Amino acid sequence: MSERGTSQANATTDGGRDIDGGHGRACDGGPGGDRAGGLDDDLRVPSCERCPALVESRSQIVDGVGPTDADLLFVGEGPGANEDERGAPFVGRSGDVLDEALRDAGLARSDVRITNCVRCRPPDNRDPTSDELANCRGYLDAEVDRLDPDLIVTLGKVPSEHLLDRSVAITSEAGEVVDARIADASRRVLLSVHPAATLYDRSQRDGFFEGIALAAAVAGVDGATAAGEDGQSRLGEF
């Protein structure tokens, strides 16, 4: 719910939707030379029509962007209007906040990979349904498997619950680094509020920026040590 999140005052219900567009490519992962998981060599979904409502509402499929060997993977909820139009995740106001936090952590957008739980914009920027999330999960798992990142950062409640497969109180759990089984392997996941939260509640800005800095440290991007001996790290509640 990247950009969709900017239309809501509470990011705890916002998953990470950013914008992309078009009926051009479908959301299927069908045959047609696709590699495992329905992704091509660039981790893109060539076509997919698994979700009729999303096929109708999208302008295009919004695939992840960034290096295919990135150490850090950010996962939002799904495309919003700007993402649907421009074909890339987190390119609106929420994306500006994310970019700023990355710069503060000594990173550029080109250093990390950014993707979403669903790759097509839901009608009226609503949350994706459980069926839609399930239909797109194979693509996300394939992307994670082939990327094999050192750390996954979930941006918002929806991607956090989707990947951890449990209820998440995102404002109180933000900053925690946990282990989760994703794409048939144990992965480190850092929970974060959605960047849109900082636009509606300035008190969450420092915590969000600290979380991105923590992500860089946990992934070893800046050489800092952020995790304790038990592998658990967390920021204060915010």
Side-chain angles (χ1 to χ4, degrees):
M1 217 192 275
S2 305
E3 282 315 301
R4 189 183 71 78
T6 63
S7 66
Q8 297 185 359
N10 191 330
T12 61
T13 60
D14 153 1
R17 177 168 295 140
D18 267 78
I19 309 156
D20 178 68
H23 292 56
R25 288 177 298 133
C27 193
D28 197 327
D34 295 350
R35 290 183 55 181
L39 303 181
D40 64 18
D41 289 338
D42 296 319
L43 304 185
R44 295 171 61 85
V45 176
S47 69
C48 182
E49 297 184 355
R50 293 177 181 174
C51 306
L54 302 193
V55 171
E56 181 62 28
S57 66
R58 76 186 180 204
S59 300
Q60 59 188 309
I61 293 174
V62 182
D63 289 299
V65 296
T68 57
D69 60 352
D71 293 326
L72 270 175
L73 173 65
F74 291 85
V75 181
E77 178 184 320
N82 294 329
E83 291 73 29
D84 183 64
E85 178 182 345
R86 295 169 60 182
F90 288 90
V91 294
R93 293 175 63 202
S94 295
D96 291 341
V97 175
L98 178 58
D99 289 349
E100 183 180 356
L102 288 171
R103 287 194 298 271
D104 275 17
L107 301 173
R109 175 179 278 248
S110 59
D111 295 324
V112 305
R113 188 163 182 87
I114 307 171
T115 194
N116 280 309
C117 294
V118 299
R119 296 174 185 246
C120 301
R121 180 191 182 190
D124 303 316
N125 283 332
R126 62 161 171 75
D127 287 348
T129 67
S130 57
D131 284 346
E132 290 163 352
L133 287 167
N135 285 342
C136 225
R137 181 59 185 263
Y139 301 137
L140 180 58
D141 282 349
E143 187 171 15
V144 170
D145 179 58
R146 287 168 56 184
L147 188 68
D148 193 22
D150 290 336
L151 182 71
I152 298 170
V153 181
T154 54
L155 297 171
K157 182 179 180 68
V158 170
S160 299
E161 293 189 334
H162 186 51
L163 289 180
L164 298 188
D165 193 26
R166 65 171 174 82
S167 178
V168 173
I170 192 60
T171 53
S172 60
E173 294 187 55
E176 291 187 2
V177 179
V178 301
D179 291 324
R181 191 152 189 87
I182 301 169
D184 294 324
S186 179
R187 315 276 180 182
R188 287 189 298 177
V189 179
L190 186 146
L191 307 180
S192 171
V193 296
H194 193 278
T198 70
L199 299 173
Y200 292 99
D201 183 356
R202 297 288 293 184
S203 69
Q204 299 206 45
R205 181 179 171 86
D206 287 348
F208 177 75
F209 276 61
E210 289 169 13
I212 301 304
L214 176 60
V218 171
V221 175
D222 63 358
T225 301
E229 293 182 357
D230 62 355
Q232 297 290 319
S233 300
R234 64 167 293 109
L235 301 170
E237 293 184 4
F238 58 97

